[in-house]
């Protein structure tokens, strides 16, 4: 049997995490939902969603940097000769936008369509406030996203349990991968999902046991945006072979406050800044 390859990639930088403490993301909407970005790194425009602009609170888009990250990673995949035949992603908007960026970077955005798979969504325990609501594939298609409307998902959004345990999450990810591999028995597959997906979508597939909670969170905290891992298979046996591309590293660029040039209380401003930085490190 010919070798098969599966690539699992985390989404790019997300608006809520990048701007959650500053309020710039939420405050870019007025009381009527009109959007005006308050930072250059916030998206210039946002897709129209059926649940209204409030839906972005639980289904955040990428930042401008996040979308650039995805295109650069796609370019790296192309430059390293990676061939992709099938593309699937989590229904989260940040994953959908990352998928589009990856395809553009690879030069495949006019040739390949992607399928939206709810089974690839992150651990439901992180949906703290309400069941997530995503933009349906038919609406994504109307917005110009190259999405397949004929794909039958392994899971529906209603089947995802808010009370899901970590073991349940591992099993859902493992089951989704098995169904995806059966649905697409030939060719290489690109999976675009979440930070924990690089672990949960591969661990049991290569014969590993479900990890402890401590180990799970350690791996999650050390899986930055656009991390990529590759699986390879011959004769139906899967093994983890690392990443097909170099790592993606860059520095943190903090918000600039021009008023610091005229303030008379730099010591107070410094204490306020240090307090915000301490909050960020514990996020």
């Amino acid at each position: 049997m010919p070798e098969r390859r599966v690539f699992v990639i985390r989404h790019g930088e997300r608006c809520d995490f990048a701007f959650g403490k500053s309020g710039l993301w939420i405050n870019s909407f007025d009381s009527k939902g009109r959007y005006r970005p308050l930072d250059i790194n916030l998206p210039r425009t946002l897709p129209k969603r059926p649940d209204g602009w409030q839906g972005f609170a639980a289904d955040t888009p990428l930042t401008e940097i996040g979308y650039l990250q995805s295109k650069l990673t796609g370019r790296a995949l192309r430059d390293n000769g990676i061939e992709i035949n099938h593309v699937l992603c989590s229904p989260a908007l940040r994953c959908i936008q990352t998928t589009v960026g990856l395809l553009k970077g690879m030069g495949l955005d006019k040739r390949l369509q992607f399928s939206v798979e709810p089974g690839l969504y992150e651990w439901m325990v992180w949906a703290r406030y309400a069941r997530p609501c995503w933009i349906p594939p038919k609406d994504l298609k109307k917005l110009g996203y190259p999405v397949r409307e004929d794909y039958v998902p392994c899971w529906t959004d209603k089947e995802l349990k808010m009370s899901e345990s970590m073991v349940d999450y591992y099993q859902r990810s493992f089951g989704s991968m098995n169904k995806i591999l059966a649905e697409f028995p030939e060719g290489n597959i690109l999976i675009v999902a979440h930070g924990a997906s690089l672990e949960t979508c591969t661990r049991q597939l290569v014969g590993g046991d479900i990890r402890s909670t401590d180990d799970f969170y350690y791996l999650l905290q050390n899986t930055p945006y656009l991390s990529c891992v590759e699986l390879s298979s011959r004769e139906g046996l899967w093994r983890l072979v690392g990443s097909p591309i170099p790592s993606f590293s860059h520095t943190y660029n903090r918000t600039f406050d021009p008023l610091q040039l005229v303030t008379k209380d730099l010591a107070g401003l410094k204490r306020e800044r240090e307090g915000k930085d301490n909050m960020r490190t514990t996020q």
Side-chain angles (χ1 to χ4, degrees):
M1 295 177 62
E3 181 184 34
R4 293 193 68 195
R5 305 169 77 184
V6 173
F7 308 93
V8 185
I9 297 182
R10 185 188 180 187
H11 60 76
E13 182 183 71
R14 48 192 287 179
C15 287
D16 56 350
F17 279 16
F19 295 99
K21 301 302 181 183
S22 69
L24 290 174
W25 163 233
I26 295 299
N27 291 334
S28 291
F29 297 90
D30 66 15
S31 60
K32 296 183 178 179
R34 291 173 296 200
Y35 175 71
R36 179 177 177 270
L38 298 179
D39 190 277
I40 295 173
N41 191 28
L42 286 169
R44 295 175 63 195
T45 60
L46 293 172
K48 186 177 181 181
R49 52 188 310 140
D51 55 345
W53 64 274
Q54 296 91 341
F56 289 116
D59 188 25
T60 183
L62 293 179
T63 63
E64 290 289 294
I65 291 296
Y67 187 60
L68 176 61
Q69 289 172 326
S70 66
K71 289 196 291 184
L72 291 176
T73 301
R75 186 180 71 183
L77 291 168
R78 181 197 65 196
D79 291 346
N80 281 273
I82 303 301
E83 180 182 345
I84 299 296
N85 306 103
H86 314 285
V87 184
L88 298 99
C89 72
S90 161
L93 180 58
R94 57 191 182 275
C95 296
I96 289 166
Q97 292 178 328
T98 298
T99 302
V100 173
L102 288 166
L103 291 176
K104 283 185 178 292
M106 297 184 74
L108 298 176
D109 53 306
K110 303 298 182 183
R111 295 167 45 195
L112 278 182
Q113 292 184 316
F114 63 87
S115 302
V116 176
E117 175 50 63
L120 296 173
Y121 190 63
E122 66 184 1
W123 188 8
M124 290 296 290
V125 74
W126 294 322
R128 298 178 179 90
Y129 306 111
R131 174 173 290 278
C133 184
W134 307 299
I135 303 177
K138 61 181 179 61
D139 292 317
L140 291 171
K141 191 75 171 180
K142 293 176 182 177
L143 292 168
Y145 290 90
V147 61
R148 285 183 53 184
E149 293 186 83
D150 60 342
Y151 174 72
V152 180
C154 307
W155 294 72
T156 65
D157 57 345
K158 294 180 179 179
E159 291 175 319
L160 302 183
K161 299 178 181 179
M162 296 292 291
S163 59
E164 186 177 58
S165 69
M166 191 186 76
V167 172
D168 292 337
Y169 174 45
Y170 266 94
Q171 297 290 23
R172 167 165 62 85
S173 300
F174 180 45
S176 296
M177 290 298 293
N178 280 322
K179 291 179 180 180
I180 289 169
L181 292 169
E183 175 72 17
F184 304 101
E186 297 180 353
N188 298 334
I189 300 174
L190 172 63
I191 302 289
V192 184
H194 304 269
S197 303
L198 279 71
E199 158 69 6
T200 60
C201 288
T202 64
R203 180 67 175 167
Q204 292 165 278
L205 204 59
V206 299
D209 295 326
I210 295 174
R211 296 188 192 270
S212 68
T213 302
D214 287 346
D215 288 348
F216 171 83
Y217 276 105
Y218 173 82
L219 292 172
L220 175 62
Q221 291 166 3
N222 288 277
T223 305
Y225 295 128
L226 270 303
S227 294
C228 177
V229 69
E230 175 185 350
L231 294 166
S232 177
S233 171
R234 285 189 184 276
E235 305 296 333
L237 297 176
W238 290 96
R239 61 189 180 93
L240 197 64
V241 296
S243 176
I245 57 176
S247 60
F248 193 144
S249 307
H250 54 78
T251 59
Y252 163 61
N253 196 46
R254 68 173 69 216
T255 301
F256 173 65
D257 181 5
L259 296 180
Q260 67 186 350
L261 302 178
V262 297
T263 185
K264 295 180 180 180
D265 184 19
L266 280 179
L269 190 64
K270 182 179 179 181
R271 287 193 298 271
E272 181 182 354
R273 173 72 73 176
E274 289 174 346
K276 290 181 178 179
D277 286 347
N278 289 336
M279 291 177 66
R280 178 179 291 276
T281 60
T282 58
Q283 182 176 347

